Amino acid sequence: MSRIFAALARFSVRYRYPVVALWIAAVVVSSAALPSLSSEINNDNSQFLPASTPSSRAAALGAPILGSEGHSTEVVIVAAREGGKLTAADQAAIGRAAAGARNVEKVESVRVAGLSPDGQAAQITVRAALPRTDVRAQKPLVESLQGALARANAPPGLKLRLAGAVATNVANQASSQKTGKQTQMYSFIFIIVLLLLIFRSLRAPLITLLPAGLSLLVSMRLIGELGAHGLKISEITDLLLIILILGAGTDYGLFLVFRTREEMRHGRDARAAVEHALRRVGESIAASAGTVILALLTLLLASFGIYRDLGVPLAIGVAMMLLAGLTLLPALLAIFGRAAFWPTRVKQGAPQTGAWGRIAGRLVARPRVTLVVGVVLFGGLAVAALGYHASGFGGAANAPKGTSSAEGNALIARHFPKSSSNPANLIFRWSTPVYERPQQVAAAQAALASSERFRSIQGPLEANGTRLTPAEYARLHARLGEPSKLPVTPPAGVGVPIPQYNAYRASASFVGAGGHVIQFEASLRAGPQQSTAAMNATPAIRAAVSRAAERSGANASGVAGEAAALYDVSATSNSDILNIVPVAILAIAILLALVLRSLVAPLYLILSVAFSYLAALGVATLVFVDIVGEPGLTFILPFLMFIFLLALGEDYNILVMTRIREEARVRPLKDAVIHAVGRTGTTVTSAGLVLAGTFGVLAIAAGSSASGSQVREVGFGLAIGILMDTFVVRTLLVPATVALLGRWNWWPAGLGHGARADADAAPEPVGVRD
């Protein structure tokens, strides 16, 4: 393996200028030819559910009314006059807005759904031939509809706004783009400042960070291209990609830069130092990146799309970062040489004993005490994890404050109180059309009301607030025909009162073509659709709908809408945790066994990750649930924390353990532990500070984003986990375990004492630091 990295080191150093030119060309070409990642972001977690879940099946059952996810998108236009009823001029403007919407590309149908009970507002339903999951195509649709509203020349006092899920998602996408740019900028600033303090150099921070920055730019374009071809990308994917590449990429850069400086101190010239450093730490860097890639690829086994579709984009990012770290960074170090550390001078000779060398000496002397104290501390924090419960399954359900879509959703809530821009959809199907037997609709509604689970129920017999009896509904159908084909203004001579005409016409939003499938739009007593309480009420709501279907003679029923989808998100997510975590542990254990040539070391290294994971989850629970008072932690936190701490924690394990193994070949094991921790302690703690700090930046910068609470908890939880992993587990508990186990660390392989690792290894004093 060392021969491969030696050849790669010679290539990167010898062809250093072409390597740099190729990376710059890759950035330019990908930026010009491929779409941006931010244009593909989808903030609706329910759209990542598999089709087999109950809420997905209910949505498919209601497709004649709700539209098909794969073929149609529905946008709501709301027209409202505050403080008075709609005027004739308002009605004319609404007609112009509807006509303008019909001329928008991809729009299939436009209909004025009905007037509000107070007469101050009207809804227009626009259906377009776009998949509901095609976020990139929704943006131009929304922009074109906004242009049509602007050209409608609304009279003073009339507001024309877009509302509903699609307009909200597009507004959140724009917010996500802004958040992504802020997170990227603040991460760069944080890393640069921290590296300036670590290196006390002006050039080394830029040289260390540049490969991560360029690989991020290329990765975002490659993943954007995958998004354009059907890969669903959530906001959390975009933000984690930025943090992972910049944070972990800088970590891998520190591995090489610190080792290069160490080799320069041993008297090697700049290019020889780079080659030797890459040959010695190249395997550690590649294995570290390999653990991350392997952990991420296990996500392909997930049923929940937000996990499954997270794996490939982040794995691509880490792979690009690894390629840059093994080619571009050595080339840059070879170009700048010792000047990379200017104005600090790299002095030749043995450095002084550092703090980590002294700490390692004490823990090796009393390894049992170190382990007992660590286990008690982490065990106490892990107890707090018992208070964990999940929330935040919906992603970004509301539009950002101050946006046009947020105002449109507020207008619907104000003027259509029994309607909602985000209702529960209760779907029923009968063999006989409801136009012929509207009594079955009344029976279903009565059964639903008797369950006392609903605050309000709106359906075909009460579509706009005006109640129709089953007999009136049947008579209106016999006289007027299907409601979806009626004009806004009653034709002359129909002989139907205007309130009844408007109520019957509005029922088209609740009855599918042919009259076999209907929906009720309901608000729940448990709370709003995006709330945890509404999600937890889903089994009871489904039971109430099933009873109503049985009493009314329906042959199929289901519950669609956000709360039902979030319940399925929770169930699917929990199932994925149980299925994927063992696979990820096994895969990384095998990789560790191959890298460390041991069957024993992987066992306690993975156990150490479990300890730090549970402790970090306990701290997050204490902070957000017990102190801040959140209803729960975002459901993705435990899963992402485990996968990332497992993968990133093993990065530092590999660096420390490979250095201990290297030193153990030329000195006694306890001296090897002291020397290895003394030499890698600064690297590990610096890398941990960088990575934890970037996750902290994520928590702060993205806390006000479309998925703010989710992102804030993920960023904080991972930052805490990495800090505990860095300062306690990798630099204290793991070395103490190595010292305690002795030669059993490497079983069944052995380390011949005094057998040098390689011919040109320079003798070094015990307990020195970088």
Side-chain angles (χ1 to χ4, degrees):
M1 184 66 72
S2 62
R3 293 180 180 178
I4 296 175
F5 292 104
L8 183 60
R10 289 192 297 270
F11 173 84
S12 298
V13 170
R14 181 177 181 181
Y15 299 104
R16 52 195 177 278
Y17 290 106
V19 167
V20 174
L22 282 173
W23 272 100
I24 294 174
V27 172
V28 173
V29 172
S30 61
S31 298
L34 301 178
S36 67
L37 172 61
S38 59
S39 65
E40 304 297 334
I41 293 174
N42 190 331
N43 285 291
D44 184 356
N45 287 350
S46 66
Q47 291 192 15
F48 292 87
L49 278 172
S52 59
T53 58
S55 59
S56 297
R57 294 200 303 268
L61 178 65
I65 306 166
L66 305 176
S68 171
E69 180 176 293
H71 300 93
S72 65
T73 292
E74 189 174 280
V75 184
V76 176
I77 299 173
V78 57
R81 174 171 290 280
E82 297 297 333
K85 295 183 180 296
L86 295 174
T87 66
D90 295 336
Q91 296 279 12
I94 293 171
R96 291 193 297 271
R102 289 188 184 92
N103 294 327
V104 171
E105 186 179 1
K106 299 290 187 180
V107 168
E108 292 181 320
S109 65
V110 178
R111 66 181 302 273
V112 180
L115 300 177
S116 64
D118 61 12
Q120 298 179 6
Q123 286 191 58
I124 303 173
T125 302
V126 180
R127 184 160 291 178
L130 292 173
R132 201 177 304 168
T133 56
D134 191 349
V135 184
R136 191 180 183 194
Q138 288 174 2
K139 182 179 178 182
L141 171 66
V142 167
E143 290 175 345
S144 298
L145 290 174
Q146 287 173 333
L149 298 186
R151 292 189 296 272
N153 297 320
L158 179 67
K159 294 180 178 180
L160 293 172
R161 299 289 186 269
L162 297 183
V166 172
T168 298
N169 203 20
V170 171
N172 282 327
Q173 185 193 58
S175 174
S176 298
Q177 291 177 351
K178 180 181 177 182
T179 300
K181 291 177 182 178
Q182 288 179 339
T183 302
Q184 190 170 325
M185 179 184 67
Y186 294 152
S187 297
F188 270 113
I189 294 173
F190 171 81
I191 294 173
I192 288 293
V193 171
L194 187 58
L195 292 182
L196 283 170
L197 296 174
I198 291 171
F199 285 115
R200 297 183 294 279
S201 165
L202 297 178
R203 292 173 181 160
L206 297 175
I207 292 171
T208 305
L209 184 57
L210 183 61
L214 295 185
S215 60
L216 175 62
L217 295 177
V218 175
S219 299
M220 293 179 83
R221 293 292 174 169
L222 291 175
I223 298 165
E225 180 68 13
L226 292 178
H229 286 82
L231 180 69
K232 294 179 182 177
I233 300 172
S234 66
E235 182 183 26
I236 199 71
T237 301
D238 179 35
L239 295 174
L240 285 178
L241 179 72
I242 295 171
I243 296 303
L244 184 62
I245 293 185
L246 294 182
T250 303
D251 282 6
Y252 298 157
L254 287 172
F255 293 179
L256 181 59
V257 173
F258 273 126
R259 192 59 185 258
T260 298
R261 188 173 67 176
E262 179 182 333
E263 299 302 330
M264 289 179 181
R265 285 174 173 167
H266 292 155
R268 290 187 172 89
D269 64 65
R271 295 175 190 173
V274 173
E275 290 186 15
H276 189 79
L278 185 58
R279 181 158 57 87
R280 298 297 290 271
V281 301
E283 183 179 0
S284 297
I285 293 173
S288 297
T291 61
V292 179
I293 292 173
L294 197 58
L296 292 171
L297 290 180
T298 61
L299 298 179
L300 293 174
L301 301 175
S303 299
F304 184 34
I306 206 169
Y307 294 153
R308 186 180 61 251
D309 295 336
L310 190 68
V312 170
L314 296 187
I316 290 173
V318 175
M320 293 299 300
M321 176 182 67
L322 174 62
L323 183 60
L326 296 179
T327 57
L328 179 58
L329 182 56
L332 292 172
L333 289 170
I335 289 172
F336 284 93
R338 292 178 181 269
F341 301 97
W342 180 87
T344 303
R345 294 183 60 188
V346 182
K347 297 180 181 179
Q348 186 173 341
Q352 296 179 350
T353 300
W356 284 112
R358 293 191 294 271
I359 292 172
R362 294 190 182 98
L363 69 87
V364 165
R366 305 181 70 184
R368 289 182 178 84
V369 174
T370 303
L371 279 177
V372 169
V373 171
V375 169
V376 170
L377 172 64
F378 275 55
L381 292 173
V383 170
L386 296 175
Y388 164 81
H389 48 276
S391 68
F393 293 87
N398 299 316
K401 293 181 180 179
T403 60
S404 175
S405 54
E407 187 178 5
N409 291 338
L411 290 173
I412 287 181
R414 186 179 310 133
H415 295 288
F416 297 87
K418 287 195 173 183
S419 181
S420 171
S421 60
N422 188 19
N425 305 104
L426 316 180
I427 311 298
F428 295 84
R429 185 182 68 197
W430 288 280
S431 56
T432 304
V434 298
Y435 302 126
E436 298 177 16
R437 292 191 60 193
Q439 297 88 346
Q440 54 198 7
V441 177
Q445 186 166 351
L448 293 171
S450 67
S451 71
E452 298 185 349
R453 294 286 178 181
F454 306 99
R455 190 178 304 277
S456 66
I457 303 172
Q458 187 178 18
L461 300 181
E462 197 177 357
N464 69 344
T466 300
R467 182 180 296 274
L468 299 174
T469 66
E472 288 172 334
Y473 195 81
R475 186 170 62 252
L476 288 168
H477 178 263
R479 175 168 293 188
L480 301 175
E482 291 211 10
S484 61
K485 299 178 181 179
L486 295 177
V488 177
T489 304
V494 296
V496 174
I498 291 179
Q500 288 191 359
Y501 179 89
N502 288 334
Y504 177 71
R505 184 181 180 279
S507 72
S509 299
F510 299 87
V511 182
H516 292 278
V517 177
I518 70 106
Q519 72 155 332
F520 294 100
E521 290 186 352
S523 61
L524 310 184
R525 291 189 182 277
Q529 283 287 288
Q530 67 269 26
S531 68
T532 302
M535 178 195 73
N536 292 335
T538 295
I541 300 301
R542 285 175 173 162
V545 169
S546 295
R547 287 193 297 270
E550 183 178 356
R551 292 180 186 179
S552 64
N555 57 27
S557 65
V559 181
E562 187 176 5
L566 301 190
Y567 183 85
D568 291 340
V569 167
S570 173
T572 306
S573 174
N574 292 336
S575 174
D576 283 340
I577 291 176
L578 295 176
N579 293 334
I580 292 175
V581 165
V583 176
I585 289 175
L586 179 62
I588 290 182
I590 293 173
L591 182 60
L592 287 173
L594 294 174
V595 172
L596 301 177
R597 287 82 160 172
S598 168
L599 295 179
V600 174
L603 299 179
Y604 64 77
L605 293 180
I606 288 179
L607 186 62
S608 70
V609 170
F611 264 108
S612 60
Y613 161 72
L614 291 173
L617 184 60
V619 172
T621 302
L622 283 172
V623 171
F624 288 105
V625 177
D626 297 328
I627 297 176
V628 177
E630 296 281 355
L633 293 177
T634 177
F635 74 103
I636 61 175
L637 179 61
F639 189 78
L640 291 182
M641 276 182 65
F642 188 86
I643 293 296
F644 276 84
L645 290 179
L646 178 66
L648 297 173
E650 300 307 347
D651 285 3
Y652 304 152
N653 274 333
I654 289 171
L655 179 68
V656 173
M657 293 296 290
T658 53
R659 188 62 185 259
I660 291 175
R661 187 186 65 193
E662 177 185 329
E663 299 297 338
R665 287 172 172 160
V666 294
R667 63 186 84 248
L669 181 60
K670 288 191 176 182
D671 287 347
V673 171
I674 295 172
H675 193 85
V677 173
R679 302 313 296 266
T680 61
T682 302
T683 306
V684 170
T685 52
S686 298
L689 285 172
V690 168
L691 192 57
T694 51
F695 278 113
V697 168
L698 174 66
I700 296 170
S704 59
S705 70
S707 303
S709 61
Q710 281 189 334
V711 176
R712 183 169 55 249
E713 291 169 13
V714 169
F716 177 84
L718 286 171
I720 290 296
I722 289 168
L723 286 175
M724 290 194 297
D725 205 66
T726 299
F727 285 93
V728 181
V729 177
R730 306 302 146 219
T731 45
L732 298 178
L733 299 185
V734 168
T737 305
V738 173
L740 199 61
L741 291 177
R743 62 187 179 87
W744 290 103
N745 285 287
W746 318 110
W747 186 87
L751 288 173
H753 178 62
R756 302 185 66 83
D758 62 64
D760 55 353
E764 303 164 14
V766 173
V768 296
R769 64 175 174 85
D770 282 327

